């Protein structure tokens, strides 16, 4: 048994100082005997102090006199209090007698040189307290009431004084009798009294802690609790505990309210219990609607709104907010279905490019107005590669293949390339990298964010190091695979592995430069002054660049993407 457990047992069983000291000493080594005495004296002092204060309160004494044991071992903070008048209810003050109004001593806050507490509560304290009443113990004479103007008033005043003196005498007799009875009690009776005292202190502490939390919310119940605390008899303590538990349970339910604002205005207008009831009704409806499909749930919410008065400031805004949320979900689903329908196009086979260069006219190019005052207002708008890709039929869905099919195509084409893609936006819908990689990248002739804004302009830039080399080890992911991460954002991107459906027609970057450089300025304008556009017009599937080992793909219809 630990020191803490021994002390608790002494409290429960009402041990005296000697019993407690023996128990502690028995659990400690011999060299700690002095320490055992200290602990026992301190804990017994605390029990005696609490019991004494409780007696004073029950009898009705407001003051006691502090008595310090003066033997050279006393503390200065206790010695300073010796003989002073102290409060039964407030251990942080002391009093001096009031010559002008002897019945009401003058209150002072205890100084830093004084102990804050009651006798016996401090460590190893040997001080004690005795009841003090200004009528009996005060140094100033209590003035009698002034002479009455009539004989009846005089008799009435005397009777009141006599009754007051009787009550005061009775208090003293009760306290003395209580002390005498206590000395005659058995140990078991003392234990029972101590247990009753602990129970009452515990009940009062529970009520004290609850009141600040609940008094603004459950005002009537808290007022009833205050009345019970003032009674202080045995039956009232049972009622106090029951009332405390009931208020605590209600407070717990009130704190669970999540749909209604717990404002002071709502509490004053409806009462806390009504707000709890309203919240439960709303929660029950929410639970019911949550189980339904959105369309049926929206119908249920709108029916509930129709039954309400527009002035209903509790239910109306909550139900309207829920209706708006469900409508937004329904609209999002409808958009998503439309999007899925547009994206789920079947692969129709790869397209072979043709030489379309003769079909272009340099005059068939529209100037772009950047600004009326700009020197560049007449700059020619480039013809993007994807425009030519559409003419070629290259802008068609790629083929999504299994890992086994992908490996067979790699063996046939001896080529593999990679591209990392990020999340994007399509027709106002945010798409994750995986959605974009498995759908948008394979989409049919779709525009991003409006007409003309294709998701690749001069070709699809990919990373490859396999042209003219052996097939890479897919497990180790060659340098090209790692390099493709440059196209994505770490943690939010997806890397695609791609190859060709049919043997591709690829032009080397150096070779393209030679052909391009032979064109005149006017001929280059036909293709927006861009080599990639020209290569696409010649019918090439892609352009390969040795520097950096990257490839620009023009013919999406000839791409095979491995499923992931």
């Amino acid at each position: 048994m630990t020191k803490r457990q021994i002390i608790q047992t002494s409290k429960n069983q009402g041990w005296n100082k000697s019993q407690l000291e023996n128990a502690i000493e028995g659990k400690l080594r011999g060299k700690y005997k002095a320490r055992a005495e200290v602990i026992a004296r301190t804990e017994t002092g605390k029990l005696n102090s609490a019991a004494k204060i409780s007696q004073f309160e029950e009898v009705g004494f407001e003051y006691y006199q502090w008595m310090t044991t003066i033997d050279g071992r006393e503390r200065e903070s206790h010695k300073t209090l010796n003989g002073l008048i102290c409060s039964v209810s407030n251990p942080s003050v002391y009093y001096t007698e009031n010559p002008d109004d002897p019945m009401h001593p003058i209150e002072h806050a205890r100084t830093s040189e004084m102990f804050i507490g009651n006798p016996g509560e401090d460590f190893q304290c040997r001080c004690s307290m005795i009841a003090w009443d200004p009528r009996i113990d005060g140094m100033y004479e209590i003035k009698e009431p002034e002479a009455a103007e009539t004989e009846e008033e005089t008799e009435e005043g005397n009777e009141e004084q006599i009754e007051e003196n009787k009550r005061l005498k009775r208090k003293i007799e009760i306290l003395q009798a209580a002390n005498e009875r206590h000395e005659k009690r058995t140990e078991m009776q003392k234990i029972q009294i101590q247990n009753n005292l602990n129970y009452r202190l515990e009940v009062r502490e529970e009520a004290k802690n609850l009141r600040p939390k609940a008094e603004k919310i459950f005002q009537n119940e808290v007022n009833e609790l205050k009345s019970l605390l003032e009674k202080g008899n045995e039956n009232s303590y049972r009622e106090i505990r029951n009332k405390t538990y009931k208020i605590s349970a209600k407070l717990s339910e009130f704190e669970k309210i999540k749909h209604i604002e717990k404002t002071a205005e709502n509490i004053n207008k409806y009462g806390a219990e009504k707000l709890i009831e309203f919240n439960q009704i709303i929660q029950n409806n929410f639970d019911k609607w949550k189980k339904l499909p959105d369309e049926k749930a929206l119908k249920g919410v709108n029916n509930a709104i129709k039954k309400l008065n527009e002035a209903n400031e509790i239910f109306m805004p909550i139900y309207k907010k829920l209706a708006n949320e469900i409508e937004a979900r329904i609209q999002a689903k409808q958009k998503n279905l439309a999007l899925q329908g547009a994206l789920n196009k079947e692969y129709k086979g790869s397209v072979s490019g043709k030489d379309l260069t003769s079909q272009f006219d340099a005059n068939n190019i529209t100037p772009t107005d950047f600004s009326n005052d700009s020197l560049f207002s007449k700059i020619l708008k480039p013809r993007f590669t994807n425009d030519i890709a559409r003419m070629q039929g290259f802008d068609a869905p790629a083929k999504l293949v299994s890992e086994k099919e992908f490996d067979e195509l790699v063996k046939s084409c001896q080529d593999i390339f990679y591209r990392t893609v990020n999340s994007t936006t399509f027709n106002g819908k945010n798409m994750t990298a995986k959605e974009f990689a498995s759908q948008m990248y394979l989409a049919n002739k779709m525009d991003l964010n409006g007409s003309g804004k294709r998701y690749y302009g001069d070709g699809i830039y990919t990373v490859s190091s396999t042209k003219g080399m052996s097939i890479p080890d897919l497990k180790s992911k060659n340098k090209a695979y790692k390099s493709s991460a440059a196209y994505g954002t770490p943690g939010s991107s997806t890397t695609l592995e791609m190859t060709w459906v049919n043997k591709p027609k690829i032009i080397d970057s150096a070779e393209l430069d030679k052909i391009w450089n032979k064109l005149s300025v006017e001929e280059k304008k036909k293709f927006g002054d861009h080599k990639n556009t020209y290569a696409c017009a010649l019918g090439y599937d892609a352009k390969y660049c040795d520097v950096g080992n990257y490839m620009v793909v023009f013919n999406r219809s000839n791409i095979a993407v491995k499923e992931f």
Side-chain angles (χ1 to χ4, degrees):
M1 189 182 296
T2 64
K3 183 194 80 174
R4 187 185 299 273
Q5 291 171 331
I6 292 172
I7 293 171
Q8 185 59 48
T9 302
S10 76
K11 291 179 180 179
N12 295 338
Q13 298 184 8
W15 293 352
N16 58 32
K17 172 179 173 294
S18 179
Q19 289 174 308
L20 178 57
E21 182 178 325
N22 290 337
I24 294 173
E25 184 179 359
K27 289 295 178 180
L28 299 177
R29 296 179 182 177
K31 63 179 181 179
Y32 293 126
K33 180 179 179 182
R35 178 63 177 159
E37 294 175 353
V38 170
I39 294 171
R41 186 180 298 117
T42 300
E43 295 302 324
T44 305
K46 288 180 180 178
L47 289 173
N48 291 338
S49 176
K52 204 78 170 179
I53 289 293
S54 180
Q55 286 180 348
F56 288 166
E57 287 177 340
E58 290 188 10
V59 172
F61 278 103
E62 298 179 47
Y63 312 101
Y64 68 83
Q65 190 172 23
W66 185 292
M67 307 297 291
T68 304
T69 302
I70 307 296
D71 57 4
R73 293 185 295 155
E74 69 278 359
R75 296 181 181 88
E76 284 299 321
S77 60
H78 291 221
K79 184 177 180 181
T80 308
L81 288 166
N82 186 41
L84 292 183
I85 303 164
C86 300
S87 170
V88 169
S89 60
N90 185 359
S92 65
V93 300
Y94 72 96
Y95 297 88
T96 55
E97 295 194 52
N98 187 353
D100 297 326
D101 186 3
M103 284 299 293
H104 299 91
I106 302 170
E107 182 180 299
H108 309 275
R110 293 192 189 180
T111 66
S112 58
E113 289 79 20
M114 297 177 177
F115 171 68
I116 305 298
N118 295 313
E121 293 180 349
D122 199 4
F123 175 73
Q124 206 174 352
C125 178
R126 297 173 295 131
C127 300
S128 59
M129 61 183 110
I130 58 173
W132 188 92
D133 189 283
R135 291 182 178 276
I136 300 172
D137 305 297
M139 68 172 66
Y140 299 108
E141 181 181 356
I142 306 297
K143 293 181 179 181
E144 297 296 331
E146 294 182 3
E149 294 182 3
T150 65
E151 185 176 345
E152 291 181 359
E153 289 176 349
T154 302
E155 291 177 358
E156 184 180 346
N158 289 336
E159 287 177 2
E160 290 178 357
Q161 185 62 47
I162 292 170
E163 287 300 319
E164 179 63 22
N165 290 337
K166 286 181 179 180
R167 283 194 294 270
L168 184 59
K169 183 179 179 182
R170 182 58 181 159
K171 282 183 182 181
I172 297 171
E173 290 173 351
I174 290 172
L175 184 59
Q176 289 174 342
N179 286 330
E180 291 173 2
R181 286 197 304 273
H182 188 71
E183 292 300 323
K184 295 177 182 179
R185 288 186 179 112
T186 65
E187 288 299 319
M188 289 301 298
Q189 289 174 330
K190 290 179 180 179
I191 290 172
Q192 184 62 44
I193 290 171
Q194 186 63 53
N195 289 340
N196 288 339
L197 174 62
N198 291 339
Y199 169 74
R200 294 186 179 191
L201 292 175
E202 182 181 321
V203 171
R204 283 186 171 275
E205 187 68 19
E206 290 173 354
K208 177 183 175 183
N209 293 336
L210 178 66
R211 282 170 57 183
K213 302 176 186 176
E215 59 187 353
K216 291 183 179 179
I217 303 171
F218 300 100
Q219 189 173 5
N220 293 335
E221 288 87 343
V222 172
N223 287 337
E224 292 174 7
L225 184 61
K226 288 179 181 178
S227 299
L228 290 172
L229 285 167
E230 291 172 358
K231 290 181 181 179
N233 56 49
E234 186 174 350
N235 291 331
S236 67
Y237 276 98
R238 284 195 291 269
E239 293 180 39
I240 290 168
R241 171 153 277 182
N242 291 336
K243 177 64 72 173
T244 300
Y245 285 170
K246 287 180 181 179
I247 297 175
S248 296
K250 288 183 179 181
L251 186 63
S252 178
E253 288 299 315
F254 181 79
E255 289 173 347
K256 292 178 183 177
I257 292 177
K258 61 180 180 179
H259 299 294
I260 302 169
E261 291 188 14
K262 294 177 280 190
T263 61
E265 182 181 355
N266 281 340
I267 294 171
N268 293 333
K269 188 171 184 178
Y270 299 100
E273 293 186 0
K274 267 297 180 185
L275 293 181
I276 294 172
E277 181 185 336
F278 291 161
N279 185 75
Q280 190 59 52
I281 293 172
I282 294 169
Q283 186 60 52
N284 291 341
N285 284 331
F286 273 37
D287 292 340
K288 177 179 66 177
W289 294 328
K290 189 177 181 180
K291 297 176 183 178
L292 301 175
D294 281 338
E295 290 74 14
K296 289 186 177 180
L298 180 60
K299 185 177 180 180
V301 177
N302 286 332
N303 286 339
I305 291 174
K306 289 178 183 177
K307 295 177 183 178
L308 295 173
N309 188 311
E310 276 293 334
N312 191 314
E313 57 188 1
I314 295 293
F315 290 85
M316 185 66 75
I318 296 171
Y319 287 169
K320 282 187 175 181
K321 181 182 178 182
L322 178 61
N324 292 336
E325 291 174 356
I326 297 175
E327 284 179 356
R329 286 205 302 269
I330 292 173
Q331 291 174 4
K333 286 180 183 178
Q334 291 172 345
K335 286 182 180 180
N336 189 50
L337 289 173
L339 177 64
Q340 292 294 332
L343 294 176
N344 293 333
K345 300 292 183 181
E346 292 184 4
Y347 174 73
K348 296 180 180 179
S350 64
V351 175
S352 299
K354 302 174 182 179
D355 186 349
L356 304 178
T357 56
S358 61
Q359 299 183 23
F360 293 92
D361 184 353
N363 296 321
N364 187 22
I365 299 175
T366 306
T368 299
D369 292 328
F370 292 98
S371 171
N372 292 331
D373 300 326
S374 173
L375 295 173
F376 304 102
S377 62
K378 299 301 179 183
I379 289 181
L380 299 179
K381 178 181 180 181
R383 192 188 307 277
F384 288 108
T385 307
N386 64 335
D387 293 325
I388 309 301
R390 286 198 171 192
M391 296 175 66
Q392 291 279 20
F394 290 167
D395 193 19
K399 185 177 184 181
L400 195 62
V401 298
S402 66
E403 184 175 357
K404 183 178 179 181
E405 291 176 296
F406 185 83
D407 291 342
E408 290 298 321
L409 290 172
V410 170
K411 291 178 183 178
S412 174
C413 299
Q414 292 291 300
D415 202 1
I416 185 169
F417 45 100
Y418 311 93
R419 172 63 187 254
T420 302
V421 294
N422 292 307
S423 57
T424 185
T425 305
F426 178 76
N427 285 354
K429 177 185 182 296
N430 292 326
M431 304 184 76
T432 64
K434 186 171 183 178
E435 288 176 316
F436 178 66
S438 60
Q439 299 182 72
M440 279 305 306
Y441 202 79
L442 311 180
N444 198 3
K445 301 170 184 178
M446 287 290 165
D447 293 345
L448 275 174
N449 300 321
S451 177
K453 298 181 180 178
R454 312 287 188 265
Y455 58 89
Y456 74 100
D458 295 315
I460 304 172
Y461 283 73
T462 65
V463 181
S464 175
S465 62
T466 63
K467 190 172 183 294
M469 303 179 187
S470 61
I471 300 172
D473 182 359
L474 294 178
K475 293 182 180 179
S476 63
K477 305 298 183 188
N478 63 7
K479 292 181 180 179
Y481 185 90
K482 295 178 181 178
S483 299
S484 69
Y487 289 116
T489 302
S492 63
S493 58
T494 303
T495 301
L496 307 181
E497 296 185 11
M498 297 177 284
T499 187
W500 300 104
V501 176
N502 294 306
K503 197 73 175 179
K505 187 169 68 170
I506 301 175
I507 186 169
D508 190 83
S509 179
E511 183 183 349
L512 179 59
D513 287 344
K514 292 177 183 178
I515 301 173
W516 178 257
N517 290 335
K518 291 179 181 180
L519 299 179
S520 66
V521 174
E522 290 299 318
E523 286 177 317
K524 290 178 181 179
K525 286 181 180 180
K526 294 179 183 181
F527 309 101
D529 285 322
H530 203 294
K531 288 181 284 186
N532 286 1
T533 305
Y534 180 59
C536 185
L538 289 170
Y540 286 101
D541 293 301
K543 178 191 80 171
Y544 181 79
C545 183
D546 289 308
V547 180
N549 292 327
Y550 71 88
M551 185 165 58
V552 184
V553 177
F554 310 129
N555 187 359
R556 182 171 44 217
S557 75
N558 198 23
I559 296 175
V561 181
K562 185 170 75 172
E563 287 183 321
F564 56 93

